[in-house]
Amino acid sequence: MDNLKEFHNPESLKSALELLAQPGEGIYPLGGGTSISISENKKIIQLVNLDNLGLNYIKDKGGRLVIGAMTTAQDIIDSTALNDISGTVLKKCAKTIGSQQIRNAVTLGGNTCGLFVWSDMPAMLLASNAEIHLASKENERKISAEQFFLKHPAQILKKGEICIEVSFPKLDNKYLGEFIKFSRTNFDKTIMNVCVFFYLKEKKIRGLKIAVSGCISLPRRLKELESKLEGNAMDEKLPEKIIKEASVIKENLNFISDMKASKQYRKKIFETIILDAIMGTVLFS
Amino acid sequence: MKLNLIINEIKKEIEISPDETLLTVLRKERYYGVKKGCGRGECGACTVIVNGRAKKSCLILAGQMEGKSITTIEGIGTADNPHILQEAFVSAGAVQCGFCIPGMILSAKALLDKTKNPAEGEIKSALDGNLCRCTGYVKQIEAVKAAAKMLKENNAGKYAVKKEKIT
Amino acid sequence: MIKNLKTVGKSVKKIDSFSLSRGEPLFTDDIHLKEMLIVKILHSPHAHAVIKNIDTSGAEKLPGVHHILTYKNVPRVNFSTAGQGYPEPSPYDTFIMDKKVRFVGDRVAAVACQTEEIAKKAIELIKVEYEVLPAVLDPKEAQKDGAPLIHDEKEARMLIPVEYNPKKNLAACVNMNIGDTGNGFKEADFVFEEEYESHYAQHVPIEPHVTITYLDENNRLIIRTSTQVPFHVRRIISKALGIPVKKIRVIKPRIGGGFGVKQEMLLEDICSLMTLRTKKAVKLEYTRKEEFISSRTRHPQILKLKTGVKKDGTITAIHLESLMNTGAYGSHALTVICNTGSKCLPLYRCKNIKFDGKSVYTNLPVGGAYRGYGATQGYLALEIQMDEMAEAIGMDPLKFRLKNHIRKGEGSPVFEALGEGTEGTKQKIKSCGLQDCIKIGAKEVSWNKRNQLPKSGRYRQGIGMCCLMQGSSIPYIDMGSCFMKMNEDGSFNLMIGATDLGTGSDTILAQIAAEELGITEKEIIVYSSDTDFTPFDAGAYASSTTYLSGEAVRKTAEKIKEEIIKIASNMMHEKAKNLFVEGGKVISKKSKKKISFSDIAYNAFYAERQQQIMATASHTTSASPPPFSAHFAKVEVDTLTGKIKVLKYVTATDCGTAINPVLAEGQVEGALLNGISFALTEKFIFDSSGRLLNANLSDYKIFSTSDLPEIKTILVPTYEPTGPYGAKSVAEIGINGPMPAISNAVYNACGIRLRCAPFTPDKVLEAL
């Protein structure tokens, strides 16, 4: 950040977007600050602080939970509005992020758009069919989480464009859900995240959604696995079935290696963490 | 650039450079209780309270603090009038080298300001960003429990502590 | 045991904890000096290379750059960075800077600049052309003929007469042979031979190394530094820079943790040179990354242990071999490997014991002193194999240890054969609470129910244990001393070279002085570790402060007490033998008359036979009485992910008299948690060229509060007659247990023997 020259504290979304739309390179939005403040990015010349734009809110809007991009992980944990199953799972997810001081700083928008090694939200957003609301000076658009994470968000976001809001459908109370973060210690970055949602109809799994992150390069829904498990009975044979099907589909995944675990290890534990998430829903609800 | 903020209840106007972190600025202003252990948000020695919440000052650009209210360790107790947590940390033997302690106490304060009667899990979770290599955390968790108990029993008067706002 | 102790044995509040809890400016960096320059170091990007050309002209032209150091303009004097007694038992193989670099992180150049930003830019402007040499990263390879030679400089030498052969990358070598192990193995019913591996680790003091230097009004060099060894730093700087000791003053303020990594002269030479050349105040502070790549580490060891045991539980022979990787320099290379033998092998009775230790150079980060100091590595092997022996003969591992461990009144031939680099010192154990430690700890952890814990299914639980000993100071080598003087109000100034690095030694030394003088510790004003104002002390290492410096303090207090009584005897017209001290007064047993310390001091200052009441004493020891400990770990193993969770950890420790029980517990607990995360998550990850990849605290994982298992700390009091008020050491021993105790617990849970630390989930899965 050796070249940072200007720091803007705009007080409206409009002026923030105007600042970001200025011609030329080097203008970056600043969310919670957890990545930018330690960044060695020499391209950063101007920063636009998004803190005072009124983007910190959690609303229940026509059957959807709508969360402002500057809402912190701790705001999510403390929220009383997030009381359905997707809200509960989102809270569980937020609790696994970083340490207390980080949870006080990390924002939903930053965690989503930055796709940092400490981004634990994306699997949850994918499994809950979330919609990412983007805005720039010229344009506003909504894009599904699935589309959003097809590439690295940096490739999705256009110049001057930021995430201003994330929303997802409230799930009625027949739904079960779970989020699991598997890491070395409790205050750590993930080795593998899994989020699942489904409901039981006549004891059979319906509407199953499974998403993973941290173990492969981009977060993704596991639709193939979802379809293999859809309609299966929630009985004593299910764990075996999950292990079997997950073991098959993992052959098509490109696991990653990093300081926390090798790709071989991630591949080894893959089906176990999937199993824990699906079976955990029963305990969790 | 000019930065207007409140540090330990005193309004300040400070000249900063846009690339400076809050940690750098606070130490320049001689709030030496704010320690630098890693500069990357990993150790928590630089923890301060910003508008009621514990944050790592090395992960904040000073410019983000416009209009904000910051509490450092210097702002919560004095030799004659220590904060209940400072008293509890000393009594429990929770202070060894003491380098992590200002941050640890501020994290604990942010917790107790919000949660009157924290469970052990909540204490562990509130302090999980404050690394300590000396104590093994055992006595620090005891200290926070003791402080919470003292506050609950309304024993605060005994220590002549300025009344803590508990919500 | 001494009864009626007033201050010793009480958990008085740590005297500096009030100010520390307020965040007062007490640490090295908490001062503001005018126009202080900032120093940054350029580190080698190569594991092994010769600097062909170094061009600093670009950096010199940068405004704000005051001075640049390279190998070309620093004195070519070699030394050891190890802060040990003189002559150091570590090889002289280090220069301030050299033409050759020997590991990724070695020093290439240093700049002193007006600001940190300028310093960073100046570092980038230094152009270095390297001739990259083949590197050796494996200690086994380093020993082979034709391996790259790391110390081919002609100056490399050892000051003491021990084997040192840099031409074979051999930094140290030690052999000990007691009895006849060959025969011992023949007598055995079962013989075991296994290989164990203990890994690299960093100390992670939360305050990284930092030094500030400046010239005082008399042009003397002041070194304000975060060190465990201020007097050794003064001596090493004097020799390395060629300036007389009298021109140097080393001040140790409060220290933000050390654990051994600050028993080293690491920054002070460069910082001092910059001040001497620029005449300005200078600061050099390591970043966390530099702390990892360029300070010191725990020495990794590959241990081969062979033991023989009879069916009745008699251990017939022990042969321990260890190959230690000292990295690019030999700091503590000899003494750590010696300790692997000398602090582990006396624990169990055995007639035939052999130890072969080697320290070899590699092009990897440099080992140094680290809490546990070789014993940590040794106990990994010894205590796992003790479990294996017990199992083979069908004896409860706990009973097997109870049967064999050393007892009060017994000696061990190992004490005599193996010391710190040379021969050891004969000693008999005068205090040992290990029996009680084992029994009390076992009860607390429910040892007898360990086989009823879940042993099948996904999550399996088990309990493992181990026994440990360490030492207390280095006999006949290290010295501590003390000076005390009395003030008019009956208070005392206690001046000690002993170095409190967060442990609370200032407090417990004040308690010892107070006890001897019959006052409370509040009457003692402690000032420690300033080479101008406090007498010599070797420093804070080798578990010595309580035992060694503590006795120096007790002796001084005893002397000053005699002095006080002598004056009181004159004042009271009573015989000295009838007088005693209590509650800040001298009291006559005979007449019951009392006179206060304050009155005595006034009398001495202003009335009769005017004098300053003061005393001084030095102390060395002839023994190194071991503290003992039994550790018990209860774990749960997830057999599908391989993750080990420590559910409960019990320690029972005999440290003699705990001068301050809460502080003693704090020593055990801190060492323990460091040991647990060392056993489970802490590890160095290198790439194939020897570069450390995880030089930060998010990739190198130490435990936080949320990982803390249930911990039960038990102190088992004994009385050590050679220590102050019966005290032994307690600082290091606690770190030695977690590796073997957890490994043994995992075996109890699911039947796998983990011998290669750290016990990460992937290794567990592989073993299952």
Side-chain angles (χ1 to χ4, degrees):
Chain A
M1 264 213 318
D2 300 356
N3 297 317
L4 177 64
K5 297 283 179 295
E6 268 187 89
F7 192 100
H8 305 280
N9 271 316
E11 290 185 353
S12 74
L13 180 58
K14 189 169 167 278
S15 54
L17 294 176
E18 275 168 10
L19 282 164
L20 288 164
Q22 291 171 83
E25 299 289 310
I27 309 162
Y28 286 75
L30 173 65
T34 48
S35 71
I36 292 252
S37 49
I38 53 169
S39 162
E40 283 166 20
N41 186 348
K42 291 190 177 173
K43 286 187 203 152
I44 302 173
I45 297 164
Q46 295 185 47
L47 280 176
V48 180
N49 183 12
L50 310 180
D51 201 16
N52 309 309
L53 314 180
L55 292 179
N56 183 341
Y57 53 82
I58 300 173
K59 291 177 199 160
D60 189 337
K61 211 156 125 188
R64 290 184 79 82
L65 289 167
V66 183
I67 306 179
M70 287 298 288
T71 306
T72 67
Q74 191 60 40
D75 294 333
I76 288 170
I77 296 166
D78 293 341
S79 164
T80 49
L82 297 167
N83 47 22
D84 76 322
I85 185 66
S86 47
T88 311
V89 172
L90 179 65
K91 283 186 179 197
K92 188 170 180 194
C93 170
K95 278 185 191 168
T96 68
I97 294 176
S99 60
Q100 181 61 65
Q101 300 94 323
I102 305 285
R103 292 188 288 278
N104 286 338
V106 157
T107 61
L108 177 56
N111 205 246
T112 305
C113 296
L115 212 57
F116 308 111
V117 280
W118 61 89
S119 283
D120 292 318
M121 300 284 194
M124 154 66 203
L125 300 182
L126 278 168
S128 62
N129 270 342
E131 218 170 45
I132 321 284
H133 191 158
L134 307 175
S136 62
K137 188 187 167 195
E138 309 296 336
N139 192 25
E140 270 193 40
R141 56 177 177 145
K142 287 180 180 172
I143 178 169
S144 72
E146 213 180 324
Q147 286 294 314
F148 191 74
F149 292 118
L150 274 180
K151 296 183 209 161
H152 191 283
Q155 292 168 280
I156 301 279
L157 291 163
K158 297 183 178 137
K159 181 177 158 45
E161 194 174 42
I162 55 167
C163 164
I164 57 166
E165 193 176 273
V166 174
S167 74
F168 43 88
K170 281 188 87 166
L171 296 174
D172 64 51
N173 53 16
K174 70 181 177 199
Y175 268 90
L176 303 170
E178 173 68 302
F179 174 86
I180 286 192
K181 172 174 172 175
F182 185 81
S183 53
R184 293 170 303 179
T185 66
N186 291 328
F187 158 36
D188 197 2
K189 280 141 202 171
T190 190
I191 290 174
M192 175 172 170
N193 287 340
V194 185
C195 188
V196 300
F197 287 103
F198 63 90
Y199 62 92
L200 292 173
K201 196 173 172 188
E202 286 152 5
K203 289 195 174 168
K204 289 199 170 97
I205 290 177
R206 294 293 173 197
L208 177 64
K209 293 177 194 70
I210 308 173
V212 294
S213 72
C215 56
I216 47 181
S217 61
L218 287 173
R220 63 176 275 189
R221 277 271 295 277
L222 300 175
K223 291 200 167 169
E224 210 182 324
L225 183 60
E226 289 169 6
S227 66
K228 293 275 185 199
L229 297 174
E230 181 80 13
N232 274 277
M234 182 57 112
D235 57 18
E236 71 280 2
K237 283 186 196 147
L238 184 66
E240 210 177 304
K241 174 86 178 165
I242 296 170
I243 295 279
K244 192 182 141 217
E245 296 300 344
S247 305
V248 173
I249 80 119
K250 76 177 177 182
E251 295 303 327
N252 300 323
L253 297 174
N254 283 322
F255 291 93
I256 54 166
S257 277
D258 58 20
M259 296 301 119
K260 297 172 286 288
S262 66
K263 57 182 170 193
Q264 292 84 356
Y265 179 73
R266 282 183 163 96
K267 191 173 177 185
K268 255 186 204 170
I269 60 159
F270 176 78
E271 59 267 29
T272 301
I273 310 301
I274 299 277
L275 173 79
D276 284 349
I278 297 176
M279 302 314 287
T281 54
V282 184
L283 298 169
F284 186 44
S285 48
Chain B
M1 62 188 275
K2 286 231 178 338
L3 174 70
N4 285 285
L5 77 174
I6 299 164
I7 304 176
N8 300 332
E9 296 180 354
I10 296 165
K11 272 193 184 169
K12 296 233 169 186
E13 191 185 79
I14 304 170
E15 186 61 37
I16 60 161
S17 138
D19 60 349
E20 283 179 310
T21 63
L22 178 60
L23 167 63
T24 308
V25 169
L26 288 173
R27 283 193 67 84
K28 266 191 189 170
E29 293 289 310
R30 306 199 192 162
Y31 293 96
Y32 289 129
V34 189
K35 304 294 180 200
K36 182 180 178 184
C38 69
R40 293 174 45 95
E42 291 157 357
C43 77
C46 67
T47 299
V48 296
I49 298 177
V50 180
N51 286 9
R53 287 194 167 169
K55 291 198 178 181
K56 293 177 173 171
S57 62
C58 71
L59 289 188
I60 299 172
L61 288 172
Q64 288 176 278
M65 292 295 101
E66 182 64 35
K68 298 274 197 298
S69 172
I70 292 163
T71 307
T72 72
I73 193 74
E74 289 89 348
I76 73 161
T78 61
D80 298 331
N81 203 7
H83 189 275
I84 242 179
L85 274 160
Q86 292 169 320
E87 197 57 59
F89 268 63
V90 168
S91 299
V95 181
Q96 282 192 33
C97 83
F99 199 78
C100 72
I101 294 297
M104 187 81 77
I105 286 180
L106 288 168
S107 287
K109 182 179 186 295
L111 170 75
L112 295 185
D113 287 351
K114 211 168 88 171
T115 316
K116 217 172 181 176
N117 200 7
E120 181 163 315
E122 286 175 283
I123 297 174
K124 285 183 172 180
S125 174
L127 303 185
D128 67 355
N130 294 90
L131 297 181
C132 166
R133 197 63 149 170
C134 293
T135 64
Y137 307 112
V138 180
K139 309 239 180 291
Q140 293 166 344
I141 291 166
E142 277 171 21
V144 180
K145 280 186 194 165
K149 202 171 160 225
M150 281 192 265
L151 282 170
K152 203 176 128 199
E153 286 167 359
N154 214 5
N155 247 349
K158 191 173 136 195
Y159 296 94
V161 177
K162 190 171 61 181
K163 251 214 153 24
E164 293 298 315
K165 214 172 100 189
I166 302 161
T167 50
Chain C
M1 210 151 296
I2 303 178
K3 283 188 182 140
N4 302 323
L5 292 175
K6 294 264 163 39
T7 308
V8 162
K10 306 279 184 295
S11 294
V12 306
K13 290 171 186 169
K14 190 163 167 285
I15 56 178
D16 52 352
S17 59
F18 298 95
S19 52
L20 286 166
S21 75
R22 292 194 304 272
E24 299 283 349
L26 300 163
F27 294 89
T28 303
D29 190 30
D30 297 346
I31 54 164
H32 177 82
L33 296 173
K34 219 175 126 194
E35 293 172 3
M36 184 161 70
L37 302 179
I38 304 296
V39 177
K40 285 268 162 205
I41 293 178
L42 174 64
H43 300 280
S44 167
H46 302 293
H48 203 187
V50 168
I51 299 170
K52 276 178 73 180
N53 195 18
I54 183 158
D55 176 8
T56 56
S57 57
E60 278 158 26
K61 281 183 204 128
L62 190 70
V65 175
H66 284 249
H67 194 62
I68 300 175
L69 296 174
T70 68
Y71 77 89
K72 292 178 180 172
N73 63 351
V74 299
R76 189 164 174 87
V77 175
N78 72 356
F79 54 87
S80 168
T81 59
Q84 299 176 292
Y86 186 81
E88 295 96 336
S90 291
Y92 273 33
D93 58 6
T94 308
F95 298 94
I96 296 171
M97 280 170 199
D98 196 2
K99 197 175 175 177
K100 187 171 160 176
V101 288
R102 297 174 177 85
F103 71 107
V104 178
D106 211 347
R107 296 158 161 195
V108 175
V111 296
C113 307
Q114 218 167 332
T115 67
E116 190 173 336
E117 291 68 36
I118 297 171
K120 281 182 189 164
K121 276 192 195 122
I123 288 288
E124 282 174 23
L125 290 172
I126 296 173
K127 291 193 194 105
V128 192
E129 203 186 313
Y130 297 97
E131 182 195 335
V132 178
L133 304 172
V136 58
L137 309 177
D138 179 339
K140 286 182 178 169
E141 295 296 318
Q143 297 182 96
K144 291 183 181 162
D145 287 338
L149 279 192
I150 295 159
H151 286 279
D152 46 3
E153 73 274 18
K154 62 180 191 306
E155 296 96 331
R157 69 201 155 111
M158 198 76 192
L159 296 198
I160 60 168
V162 290
E163 190 179 345
Y164 174 63
N165 193 353
K167 292 200 171 63
K168 290 193 163 167
N169 287 327
L170 186 71
C173 181
V174 59
N175 307 97
M176 175 195 85
N177 200 350
I178 295 160
D180 182 347
T181 47
N183 242 344
F185 289 122
K186 270 185 221 151
E187 282 171 30
D189 293 314
F190 300 94
V191 173
F192 299 84
E193 193 170 2
E194 295 291 348
E195 199 170 280
Y196 304 81
E197 233 179 287
S198 174
H199 53 301
Y200 261 115
Q202 222 279 327
H203 311 61
V204 192
I206 307 300
E207 176 204 45
H209 283 83
V210 53
T211 301
I212 290 174
T213 51
Y214 53 95
L215 296 175
D216 75 359
E217 60 282 9
N218 297 317
N219 230 19
R220 288 175 76 229
L221 174 67
I222 313 298
I223 306 175
R224 179 180 163 96
T225 186
S226 182
T227 184
Q228 294 172 227
V229 285
F231 286 90
H232 293 334
V233 164
R234 185 179 65 171
R235 187 195 71 233
I236 298 169
I237 288 294
S238 161
K239 287 180 184 291
L241 270 54
I243 45 177
V245 164
K246 67 181 172 216
K247 294 288 264 182
I248 308 167
R249 173 180 172 198
V250 178
I251 302 169
K252 176 221 71 105
R254 293 293 96 188
I255 298 306
F259 319 107
V261 78
K262 292 173 182 170
Q263 192 199 333
E264 205 87 14
M265 194 289 296
L266 274 188
L267 311 185
E268 291 89 348
D269 53 346
I270 286 190
C271 218
S272 299
L273 255 185
M274 289 296 197
T275 282
L276 292 171
R277 301 252 170 107
T278 63
K279 311 289 176 203
K280 284 182 184 297
V282 164
K283 177 168 91 176
L284 173 49
E285 183 185 21
Y286 261 176
T287 62
R288 183 58 59 188
K289 185 181 175 189
E290 288 176 304
E291 195 66 29
F292 274 102
I293 64 162
S294 191
S295 74
R296 294 292 176 256
T297 66
R298 184 184 293 289
H299 291 96
Q301 290 187 12
I302 300 165
L303 302 122
K304 229 163 91 183
L305 179 61
K306 187 177 176 184
T307 54
V309 63
K310 279 192 194 168
K311 282 177 188 160
D312 68 357
T314 308
I315 301 169
T316 58
I318 303 174
H319 183 191
L320 179 62
E321 287 173 84
S322 179
L323 176 62
M324 185 166 97
N325 173 7
T326 189
Y329 296 93
S331 176
H332 302 265
L334 172 62
T335 37
V336 166
I337 193 74
C338 283
N339 256 29
T340 300
S342 68
K343 297 289 182 272
C344 297
L345 298 174
L347 183 57
Y348 299 110
R349 298 163 177 156
C350 182
K351 288 196 176 105
N352 309 301
I353 308 177
K354 205 169 166 200
F355 177 66
D356 297 299
K358 260 186 198 172
S359 288
V360 298
Y361 288 120
T362 64
N363 295 108
L364 283 175
V366 185
Y370 194 145
R371 200 174 209 172
Y373 204 84
T376 314
Q377 293 93 321
Y379 277 115
L380 167 71
L382 182 64
E383 284 302 292
I384 293 174
Q385 205 156 98
M386 283 297 285
D387 246 37
E388 296 183 65
M389 285 189 255
E391 192 190 17
I393 59 169
M395 194 182 271
D396 184 329
L398 197 140
K399 290 193 180 120
F400 180 53
R401 288 178 174 87
L402 277 173
K403 177 184 163 65
N404 284 298
H405 78 73
I406 192 168
R407 279 157 172 74
K408 189 175 163 178
E410 292 178 1
S412 164
V414 179
F415 288 135
E416 210 174 336
L418 205 54
E420 292 259 336
T422 51
E423 281 175 5
T425 310
K426 195 173 173 173
Q427 69 170 353
K428 279 208 165 121
I429 299 297
K430 297 194 171 82
S431 61
C432 176
L434 189 52
Q435 294 264 337
D436 286 340
C437 290
I438 295 171
K439 286 174 188 162
I440 295 168
K443 200 172 163 203
E444 175 64 34
V445 81
S446 305
W447 174 262
N448 52 12
K449 291 192 182 125
R450 70 185 198 129
N451 291 326
Q452 291 152 33
L453 297 168
K455 307 289 177 199
S456 61
R458 176 173 169 184
Y459 295 99
R460 300 179 200 173
Q461 295 186 1
I463 296 174
M465 65 92 58
C466 68
C467 291
L468 311 163
M469 58 168 264
Q470 193 87 27
S472 305
S473 86
I474 310 173
Y476 298 112
I477 288 182
D478 283 337
M479 187 269 279
S481 62
C482 171
F483 167 62
M484 274 182 96
K485 67 183 180 69
M486 191 180 195
N487 304 313
E488 287 110 311
D489 59 352
S491 68
F492 297 83
N493 293 101
L494 173 67
M495 264 78 85
I496 36 177
T499 305
D500 191 334
L501 62 150
T503 51
S505 68
D506 283 356
T507 306
I508 64 113
L509 295 176
Q511 284 180 262
I512 289 170
E515 186 66 52
E516 196 66 35
L517 286 162
I519 51 178
T520 72
E521 82 290 347
K522 293 189 175 68
E523 304 304 318
I524 310 281
I525 307 145
V526 184
Y527 186 69
S528 60
S529 315
D530 179 330
T531 57
D532 266 14
F533 295 106
T534 65
F536 179 87
D537 190 284
Y541 60 89
S543 280
S544 61
T545 304
T546 304
Y547 181 73
L548 174 76
S549 312
E551 185 59 15
V553 169
R554 200 203 56 74
K555 277 158 74 173
T556 308
E558 194 179 34
K559 279 189 185 173
I560 209 168
K561 182 173 78 183
E562 282 164 15
E563 198 60 28
I564 291 166
I565 287 180
K566 208 162 84 190
I567 295 166
S569 138
N570 275 329
M571 290 169 71
M572 295 161 86
H573 308 292
E574 296 215 28
K575 282 186 180 148
K577 63 171 190 188
N578 292 330
L579 302 178
F580 67 99
V581 295
E582 193 182 283
K585 295 184 178 68
V586 175
I587 305 171
S588 161
K589 277 185 264 187
K590 225 171 149 188
S591 64
K592 312 287 177 213
K593 272 201 286 188
K594 292 176 184 176
I595 183 164
S596 75
F597 278 11
S598 177
D599 288 344
I600 295 166
Y602 269 101
N603 185 275
F605 278 17
Y606 305 111
E608 292 173 82
R609 273 172 281 211
Q610 281 166 277
Q611 61 166 306
Q612 165 71 57
I613 300 175
M614 58 185 167
T616 184
S618 301
H619 188 65
T620 56
T621 72
S622 56
S624 182
F628 294 95
S629 191
H631 280 205
F632 297 84
K634 181 178 177 184
V635 305
E636 180 175 83
V637 183
D638 179 347
T639 55
L640 291 184
T641 64
K643 206 165 156 175
I644 299 168
K645 191 175 171 190
V646 179
L647 302 172
K648 183 173 183 174
Y649 203 107
V650 177
T651 61
T653 305
D654 152 29
C655 60
T657 302
I659 304 288
N660 184 319
V662 164
L663 292 181
E665 284 168 18
Q667 286 299 304
V668 174
E669 286 158 5
L672 175 64
L673 203 72
N674 185 340
I676 295 176
S677 65
F678 174 55
L680 295 179
T681 58
E682 294 180 37
K683 63 172 179 177
F684 276 24
I685 303 170
F686 295 103
D687 70 7
S688 58
S689 64
R691 194 166 60 98
L692 181 63
L693 298 174
N694 58 333
N696 61 68
L697 290 173
S698 52
D699 292 326
Y700 181 92
K701 207 67 210 164
I702 74 170
F703 271 26
S704 80
T705 48
S706 53
D707 305 303
L708 182 68
E710 183 189 346
I711 284 179
K712 179 83 184 169
T713 311
I714 302 163
L715 299 180
V716 175
T718 61
Y719 186 83
E720 170 55 44
T722 63
Y725 295 100
K728 297 188 278 191
S729 78
V730 70
E732 295 186 80
I733 187 166
I735 205 167
N736 301 337
M739 281 199 297
I742 290 172
S743 174
N744 291 340
V746 169
Y747 182 77
N748 180 241
C750 54
I752 54 166
R753 285 274 177 217
L754 300 172
R755 298 187 179 94
C756 176
F759 312 133
T760 48
D762 52 324
K763 286 187 196 160
V764 175
L765 277 192
E766 212 164 279
L768 275 163

